[in-house]
Amino acid sequence: MIKIKDLEKIYRTEEVETIALNKLSMEVKDGEFVAVMGPSGCGKSTLLNILGLLDDPDAGSFIFNGIEVAKFNERKRADLRKHNIGFVFQSFNLIDELTVFENVELPLIYTGVKSSERKKRVDEVLDKVQIMHRRNHYPQQLSGGQQQRVAVARAVVNKPKLILADEPTGNLDSHNGNEVMEMLTDLNEQGTTIVMVTHSEHDARYSHRIIRMLDGQTVLENIMV
Amino acid sequence: MIRNYFKTAWRNLWKNKLYSGINIFGLAVGLAACLLIGVYISHELSYDKFNRNAYRIVRVTMEYEKAGTVNAVATTGTKVGPQFKRTFPPVEEYVRTYIRQNIIKHDEKIFDEPRILYADAPFFKVFSFHLAEGDPATALDASDKIVITRSMAKKYFGNEDALGKTLTMGGKDFRISAICEDVPQNSQLKFDFVTPFLNLGNNVKDETWWTANWITYLLLRDHNSISQLQQQVNDYMKSTAVRKDAGVEGNNYLSYHLEPLTRVHLYSSLPGFEPNGSIRNIYIFSLIALLILIIACANYTNLATAQSAGRTAEIGMRKVMGASKKQVFIQFISESLIITLFAGALAIIISITLTPYFNNITGTQFSVSAFLKPLPIAALIIFSILTSFFAGFYPALLLSGTEVIGVLKKGFSFTGGKNLLRKTLIIAQFSISAILIIFTIIILQQMNFMKTKDLGYNKDHIVVLPIGGKMLSDFQALKDAFSQVRGVESVTASYETPEYVQWGDGISVTDEKGKHDISLNAMPVDLDFIKTLQMKLIAGRDFQQSDFAMMDTSNDYQNYHQPYLINETLAKKIGWTPEQAIGQAIEKGATGPVVGVIKDFNFSSLHDPVGPLLIFLNRDYSRDFMLRINGNDVPQTLSRLEMVWKQRITDRPFHYHFLDEDYNKLYQAEQRSSSLLSVAAMLAIILACLGLFGLAAFTTVQRTKEIGIRKVLGAHAGSITLLVSKNFLALVVIAIAIAIPLAWVIGNKWLQDFAYRINISWWVFLAAGAAALLIAFLTVSFHSIKAAMANPVKSLRTE
Ligand SMILES: Nc1ncnc2c1ncn2[C@@H]1O[C@H](COP(=O)(O)OP(=O)(O)O)[C@@H](O)[C@H]1O
Ligand SMILES: [Mg+2]
């Protein structure tokens, strides 16, 4: 599914130049569940953003589903992204002004799904993440765990092939964290590929493989048994 | 403490340069509008008040009924002044006045002077025009005396002392008896020379009630006696003896009204020697200044409340440190005070820069120093302070009321549905702008309509040459000479030019039922009048040379007949068809036949419908030659005319104007209002958009995260732009919907004053609405497009 080679990303501000990714290469197969770990600032989020086609690399190759996408423009990336990739963030990133239902519905609107079909599919996933009873509430009326469940629902409602999760349990207590991890595991078992950034060795154990990063490079890979 | 407030305030303004800039600029424009218009209004309100006796002076106006028509004029006969002084003890003094043009000469210097005042001797006692040299008591006590203003002394005598020197006016010598300071702008009497009233000639020597050409002022002994004197005048004019003396019979009447001097300029409906101002314009101008200021204040309030979300932490911290609600309130008011004081300073600069344009629009002559006097500056400062309270009160109240808890609760949101105030203010701003835009379009359309309307004659390419001095006695020779100039197609002459006929008159027509009196306007003209002005005859013919034979002056006018042309309306009023009218007899002093009926033409302002008009052949009354020239090389034709003039007329400088310019002058007041409104409409929409620009910038920043999320989920730039713009545009649409009916009502009310007017067409509303919406959209989309193009990774990277 994902094959990157010698990927580079450099941030330039007025004073400094930060090499966020330094000739990084890696591969993720269809149906895999990969955890990315490493100290703060080593480039994990940068990597995930590029994998998610939110950002473009400065150099290197990125093959997604057999297509070279490193040089894709914004519009093409957006098209590919909205049909294939779901995101879960540490800070949930729900829209405060929209209800739970409307938040989850959003990706379907942008991919042009009809209204009746949208309703059916949103209700389906809300049911799956057990938040159906809160469908008309606003994000701020929910607990952190509930908000992250909504975020997961939003990430999967479009049935993406790949889910990218950036520290999905970072803002949750262990109980709620475990719940989210179970949900991701379930999705993976149903065939969704998952790449997850985490600081927690505990969470990493849910994955098949851990990629360890340091200063924009992969330093080690552990295969889980 | 205060220093601390100002320091924080200053830093905050500096930090939010865009918003501060918008606020300062907007408020400065609003305050400048108030300052300019304020200076103008105080000038208008100060009219004639410089006179020490201002409250004891009245202007006498005349109202009379004749032949079923009531007329009111500001002018009176020569008898009113002296007779009232003799009859009514409250009258201390009278002054009869007249202002006219004349040729003034000193050595080589010869000028056509338009402002020569003829006034009775007590003029300088009644009015307070200060004499720099000479004695007010004797300045006008002999017929060869003339008073000149300081600038005229300079013009004719340079640095020499003009007192006692001689000037020639209309061929007669006058002694300069006094030098008067230049007349202030706010005087209803504006003159450069003053000479005794009786110098007007033999026709003013006799006292008569009629031949009302003069403006009479009375000085009363006591300003409280006006209403009592008015009552006495009313009774007196009704008495049989006076009615008989004035020749008033039957149902007719003659009466006089006393207008306090200080109310003439703004409140009188009767123009004197200069057009009056109007209290209605004062109200409209004040309203416009205020509306612009309100729009600017609304911007401040909106941007300040919008920013307040970001400042809850600061306020919470201050409160934790022990600041009271009052202290926080004062802090925010100081911020708005700083802004408005900056704005006030900028407003002075703007006003000074715009003074020439403002003078142009309002027809005033303010100099820059008019704004740098203590009074306007003090007024501006007070106004700025009031404005700062007005604009800053609500934000300050809102912010000082923030609970300490608010600090802890992040995500304090201002984008929700509860911003009723902000929405209301935006709607108000755009409603005001849209009304001004629509109203401006309507006025401009009406102006254009009046300029291009078919008046019933062709006003273009008519050169008007005023007749004076000995020109009348050379009439035919001059006419022939002008006719022969290359480029001149046709020449005629008349008492008044056709765009504004004031000569009022009465005729009698006799039919089976007896004799009928009709009051109408009349104009004495020369031959070729119809031809030169390209009017249309519906029946009969123009005057011709042989008509002069009818006008037999021998035998003491025994066989004198006067040929007449009448307009359609007059024919209809009498009850004749145009064909029937030809050959019928009309009596106006002399009896004579109708030789032709002309199609109605507008001989008065388009405010009034065309009334009955009688045109009679008499070149002795002529005051203007009118020459139709062809449009090729007008300057050449004019210089040829000047050559002919100089050969034949030595006592008058060559002086001409164009008929179409005279016509346009009739609508100067409307022209001014329309220019002022155009500017106001433009300012209003610019300020409203500036506010929108600031708000859009602000909300876009606020919604950065949301926009980022939406983009991650696949939203494209177009849908983001729409998302951010649509709330604002909805408000603008509501504003336009409110503005349209209001503008329609106001526009129609304004148009009602015109007998000839446009119909307001629907596209005006559509165009104005679309323009306002488009401008608002462009303003908002500047930010929303920027936001839509931004990289979402950056927007979400704010943890
Ligand atoms: N938009 C940016 N501009 C400048 N520097 C950035 C930007 N985004 C990330 N960085 C820098 O790149 C490095 C990698 O960041 P990131 O991928 O966020 O690390 P992490 O592994 O903690 O997720 C850091 O040093 C960070 O400061
Ligand atoms: Mg990170």
Side-chain angles (χ1 to χ4, degrees):
Chain A
M1 162 152 287
I2 292 171
K3 192 169 186 177
I4 56 178
K5 195 163 166 36
D6 296 338
L7 209 59
E8 272 183 41
K9 181 73 186 175
I10 300 166
Y11 292 112
R12 287 188 184 85
T13 57
E14 278 144 35
E15 309 99 52
V16 286
E17 200 171 83
T18 314
I19 304 177
L21 296 180
N22 187 3
K23 294 201 185 298
L24 183 136
S25 305
M26 64 174 267
E27 205 169 324
V28 178
K29 299 221 164 55
D30 267 1
E32 249 193 316
F33 186 162
V34 177
V36 179
M37 297 190 74
S40 215
C42 71
K44 305 181 297 290
S45 297
T46 305
L47 172 63
L48 220 58
N49 289 338
I50 292 176
L51 292 184
L53 299 164
L54 292 173
D55 216 349
D56 48 354
D58 292 320
S61 139
F62 173 14
I63 292 167
F64 183 84
N65 264 346
I67 311 164
E68 173 60 68
V69 296
K71 297 263 148 18
F72 266 28
N73 66 16
E74 159 82 22
R75 200 173 185 95
K76 277 172 142 178
R77 277 193 274 132
D79 265 349
L80 205 58
R81 179 171 74 224
K82 67 184 176 192
H83 289 110
N84 295 297
I85 306 174
F87 294 87
V88 180
F89 301 94
Q90 175 180 357
S91 53
F92 325 136
N93 277 339
L94 299 175
I95 296 177
D96 295 339
E97 288 77 18
L98 302 181
T99 62
V100 165
F101 181 91
E102 288 162 348
N103 264 292
V104 177
E105 189 189 23
L106 219 45
L108 297 176
I109 293 178
Y110 291 133
T111 44
V113 177
K114 279 206 303 281
S115 158
S116 51
E117 169 75 7
R118 286 206 301 266
K119 190 174 169 331
K120 209 183 93 209
R121 272 166 65 178
V122 173
D123 284 347
E124 228 171 72
V125 285
L126 286 181
D127 206 30
K128 218 190 264 172
V129 300
Q130 292 163 20
I131 208 89
M132 196 55 189
H133 58 297
R134 295 295 191 107
R135 68 200 287 276
N136 290 325
H137 288 209
Y138 286 91
Q140 276 167 350
Q141 298 169 306
L142 306 181
S143 71
Q146 289 169 324
Q147 287 191 42
Q148 195 60 304
R149 295 217 297 270
V150 176
V152 172
R154 185 180 62 182
V156 303
V157 71
N158 238 347
K159 305 208 169 84
K161 296 188 188 70
L162 172 67
I163 286 184
L164 300 173
D166 198 345
E167 302 184 34
T169 61
N171 280 355
L172 302 176
D173 58 34
S174 63
H175 171 71
N176 277 313
N178 283 343
E179 247 176 39
V180 169
M181 288 316 298
E182 309 272 87
M183 274 162 49
L184 290 179
T185 312
D186 280 353
L187 285 168
N188 179 245
E189 275 161 11
Q190 285 155 32
T192 313
T193 312
I194 294 178
V195 178
M196 172 184 77
V197 168
T198 183
H199 280 299
S200 144
E201 293 289 346
H202 168 80
D203 289 353
R205 253 175 250 134
Y206 286 89
S207 71
H208 304 160
R209 178 156 67 101
I210 302 175
I211 296 178
R212 294 195 189 267
M213 285 180 66
L214 193 64
D215 291 343
Q217 288 176 310
T218 54
V219 287
L220 200 69
E221 294 197 12
N222 307 48
I223 314 283
M224 311 299 291
V225 213
Chain B
M1 200 63 188
I2 297 277
R3 267 195 58 200
N4 184 279
Y5 288 151
F6 276 90
K7 215 162 66 190
T8 351
W10 174 253
R11 282 187 192 150
N12 246 305
L13 299 183
W14 191 244
K15 201 173 93 196
N16 301 306
K17 283 193 259 321
L18 174 69
Y19 307 130
S20 309
I22 290 175
N23 278 328
I24 291 177
F25 177 75
L27 288 169
V29 169
L31 287 170
C34 289
L35 183 61
L36 284 168
I37 290 179
V39 167
Y40 170 76
I41 289 175
S42 71
H43 165 79
E44 288 285 288
L45 293 176
S46 73
Y47 242 77
D48 298 311
K49 291 192 179 137
F50 64 87
N51 286 294
R52 272 189 309 280
N53 299 328
Y55 295 96
R56 288 202 287 139
I57 303 174
V58 294
R59 185 177 79 163
V60 186
T61 67
M62 171 164 122
E63 185 187 314
Y64 61 97
E65 179 173 345
K66 231 183 190 178
T69 327
V70 175
N71 282 307
V73 287
T75 48
T76 47
T78 47
K79 187 162 188 171
V80 176
Q83 184 67 14
F84 281 15
K85 185 184 172 189
R86 285 188 294 262
T87 314
F88 307 115
V91 178
E92 180 179 333
E93 209 53 86
Y94 68 90
V95 182
R96 295 166 297 177
T97 58
Y98 190 68
I99 292 174
R100 54 168 284 188
Q101 147 289 335
N102 211 335
I103 308 292
I104 293 206
K105 217 174 108 181
H106 172 72
D107 293 345
E108 303 293 83
K109 289 181 178 150
I110 170 169
F111 296 101
D112 192 345
E113 293 292 353
R115 308 203 302 183
I116 300 162
L117 172 67
Y118 293 76
D120 284 313
F123 178 72
F124 287 104
K125 173 184 163 195
V126 173
F127 292 93
S128 312
F129 295 101
H130 183 247
L131 295 186
E133 295 174 56
D135 178 4
T138 60
L140 297 171
D141 67 353
S143 68
D144 67 338
K145 287 192 173 178
I146 192 164
V147 177
I148 71 175
T149 59
R150 213 185 255 286
S151 2
M152 288 302 124
K154 183 129 196 142
K155 180 169 164 187
Y156 286 88
F157 300 96
N159 292 328
E160 288 174 55
D161 185 8
L163 194 70
K165 296 244 163 53
T166 306
L167 279 178
T168 314
M169 174 164 74
K172 266 175 61 188
D173 282 352
F174 287 82
R175 234 176 339 124
I176 295 172
S177 58
I179 314 287
C180 178
E181 294 297 349
D182 284 357
V183 178
Q185 286 289 318
N186 56 355
S187 170
Q188 63 179 276
L189 283 167
K190 292 195 178 76
F191 56 85
D192 301 311
F193 302 84
V194 195
T195 189
F197 183 72
L198 294 178
N199 286 343
L200 278 167
N202 285 330
N203 55 337
V204 300
K205 299 242 155 63
D206 295 332
E207 290 183 4
T208 70
W209 293 107
W210 302 100
T211 317
N213 288 324
W214 334 111
I215 292 185
T216 306
Y217 296 95
L218 303 178
L219 176 67
L220 310 187
R221 292 183 203 280
D222 177 2
H223 72 270
N224 288 319
S225 60
I226 295 184
S227 57
Q228 175 207 346
L229 178 62
Q230 179 70 63
Q231 194 53 51
Q232 289 173 346
V233 168
N234 291 350
D235 296 343
Y236 179 73
M237 295 312 297
K238 278 184 210 144
S239 67
T240 326
V242 176
R243 278 174 66 89
K244 193 161 168 243
D245 182 35
V248 182
E249 292 167 356
N251 287 330
N252 293 347
Y253 68 84
L254 170 65
S255 68
Y256 294 94
H257 297 287
L258 309 178
E259 291 179 330
L261 184 72
T262 54
R263 285 181 66 86
V264 169
H265 180 69
L266 287 180
Y267 295 91
S268 177
S269 56
L270 306 173
F273 296 127
E274 66 165 15
N276 284 331
S278 100
I279 193 72
R280 196 175 77 155
N281 273 357
I282 298 278
Y283 292 141
I284 293 179
F285 284 21
S286 326
L287 187 68
I288 285 176
L290 217 59
L291 287 178
I292 289 176
L293 191 62
I294 286 175
I295 291 182
C297 283
N299 280 351
Y300 183 89
T301 307
N302 272 347
L303 289 175
T305 53
Q307 285 176 75
S308 59
R311 301 189 60 180
T312 46
E314 176 201 333
I315 299 156
M317 262 344 270
R318 278 175 190 276
K319 284 197 167 176
V320 169
M321 310 304 269
S324 71
K325 190 169 166 167
K326 195 174 121 207
Q327 283 166 324
V328 176
F329 183 84
I330 292 175
Q331 187 203 328
F332 283 98
I333 283 289
S334 349
E335 254 171 56
S336 89
L337 193 61
I338 291 188
I339 289 225
T340 31
L341 288 180
F342 264 117
L346 191 58
I348 293 181
I349 298 173
I350 295 180
S351 307
I352 288 174
T353 321
L354 295 184
T355 303
Y357 304 98
F358 185 75
N359 281 337
N360 207 348
I361 291 176
T362 54
T364 46
Q365 278 146 33
F366 293 120
S367 62
V368 165
S369 59
F371 304 103
L372 297 178
K373 290 191 188 127
L375 190 71
I377 300 266
L380 184 72
I381 291 174
I382 293 172
F383 222 68
S384 303
I385 292 174
L386 286 178
T387 303
S388 75
F389 271 93
F390 185 62
F393 184 80
Y394 179 74
L397 196 69
L398 183 83
L399 284 168
S400 60
T402 312
E403 297 299 323
V404 180
I405 270 295
V407 194
L408 310 171
K409 212 174 122 197
K410 265 177 75 182
F412 186 81
S413 163
F414 263 84
T415 47
K418 47 194 165 164
N419 293 310
L420 202 62
L421 177 79
R422 191 187 307 167
K423 287 179 182 164
T424 315
L425 289 178
I426 294 178
I427 292 177
Q429 288 181 316
F430 276 87
S431 297
I432 293 171
S433 309
I435 290 175
L436 288 175
I437 292 176
I438 297 173
F439 191 39
T440 305
I441 299 180
I442 293 174
I443 293 189
L444 291 176
Q445 274 189 304
Q446 173 71 15
M447 296 298 294
N448 185 53
F449 167 77
M450 294 193 292
K451 272 187 192 144
T452 55
K453 182 184 183 303
D454 178 7
L455 298 169
Y457 64 92
N458 183 355
K459 64 183 186 312
D460 300 325
H461 298 306
I462 297 280
V463 179
V464 181
L465 301 175
I467 297 174
K470 297 194 230 32
M471 288 169 74
L472 259 188
S473 43
D474 283 339
F475 190 94
Q476 191 59 48
L478 279 172
K479 185 175 177 181
D480 292 343
F482 291 143
S483 306
Q484 273 149 29
V485 168
R486 191 146 52 85
V488 174
E489 295 180 340
S490 166
V491 180
T492 187
S494 66
Y495 175 73
E496 290 169 301
T497 45
E499 89 284 357
Y500 200 59
V501 174
Q502 288 173 291
W503 177 307
D505 216 320
I507 59 166
S508 318
V509 180
T510 313
D511 63 13
E512 315 85 64
K513 286 183 219 129
K515 201 164 154 183
H516 305 280
D517 289 338
I518 295 170
S519 69
L520 40 61
N521 288 96
M523 63 188 310
V525 304
D526 180 34
L527 297 178
D528 304 321
F529 183 74
I530 304 286
K531 176 178 143 204
T532 308
L533 289 165
Q534 299 180 349
M535 294 176 174
K536 281 204 188 62
L537 273 168
I538 327 186
R541 57 167 178 83
D542 193 356
F543 295 127
Q544 58 197 29
Q545 190 67 41
S546 60
D547 287 337
F548 286 118
M550 263 191 244
M551 301 158 69
D552 180 2
T553 54
S554 65
N555 260 332
D556 206 11
Y557 290 82
Q558 292 269 316
N559 297 315
Y560 186 94
H561 293 288
Q562 174 72 64
Y564 295 113
L565 285 166
I566 63 177
N567 73 351
E568 255 179 304
T569 301
L570 178 54
K572 217 174 284 163
K573 185 152 185 177
I574 300 174
W576 294 329
T577 65
E579 290 71 25
Q580 283 168 349
I582 306 303
Q584 300 275 7
I586 283 180
E587 191 187 330
K588 181 191 94 70
T591 310
V594 174
V595 299
V597 177
I598 55 166
K599 192 165 177 295
D600 277 345
F601 70 92
N602 291 96
F603 59 84
S604 173
S605 120
L606 296 178
H607 287 287
D608 311 313
V610 175
L613 179 73
L614 180 79
I615 299 176
F616 59 101
L617 182 60
N618 194 330
R619 49 169 57 163
D620 296 336
Y621 286 109
S622 299
R623 293 199 302 189
D624 292 301
F625 276 116
M626 288 185 282
L627 283 62
R628 171 161 302 282
I629 58 174
N630 62 33
N632 324 326
D633 208 358
V634 175
Q636 262 299 313
T637 310
L638 286 172
S639 71
R640 280 186 221 114
L641 279 170
E642 181 167 11
M643 248 158 63
V644 172
W645 179 286
K646 291 217 162 119
Q647 279 162 16
R648 292 171 176 270
I649 303 159
T650 46
D651 60 337
R652 294 171 64 80
F654 179 65
H655 178 73
Y656 69 90
H657 43 108
F658 285 101
L659 186 59
D660 51 354
E661 289 168 2
D662 298 346
Y663 174 79
N664 289 342
K665 272 194 203 131
L666 287 178
Y667 306 105
Q668 215 169 32
E670 284 83 3
Q671 187 66 54
R672 287 190 180 139
S673 307
S674 75
S675 317
L676 189 82
L677 267 168
S678 314
V679 175
M682 226 144 67
L683 280 182
I685 191 82
I686 288 175
L687 289 186
C689 281
L690 261 182
L692 207 57
F693 187 81
L695 271 185
F698 189 83
T699 9
T700 321
V701 171
Q702 278 231 317
R703 295 177 76 169
T704 308
K705 182 183 146 203
E706 180 196 340
I707 291 169
I709 297 170
R710 284 179 184 269
K711 286 195 75 177
V712 167
L713 298 177
H716 54 83
S719 82
I720 298 280
T721 307
L722 189 69
L723 176 82
V724 179
S725 315
K726 76 173 180 222
N727 289 339
F728 288 117
L729 296 187
L731 297 180
V732 176
V733 169
I734 295 175
I736 292 168
I738 294 175
I740 285 176
L742 286 174
W744 192 82
V745 170
I746 298 173
N748 267 316
K749 185 121 185 46
W750 184 81
L751 286 174
Q752 221 111 77
D753 271 356
F754 295 88
Y756 301 88
R757 54 178 179 253
I758 53 158
N759 288 315
I760 304 178
S761 35
W762 57 269
W763 67 258
V764 171
F765 300 108
L766 202 72
L773 199 63
L774 183 72
I775 296 172
F777 177 73
L778 292 178
T779 308
V780 173
S781 58
F782 174 82
H783 294 292
S784 43
I785 289 175
K786 217 168 81 183
M789 304 305 269
N791 186 342
V793 176
K794 286 204 180 119
S795 347
L796 296 182
R797 209 184 139 265
T798 42
E799 274 85 66

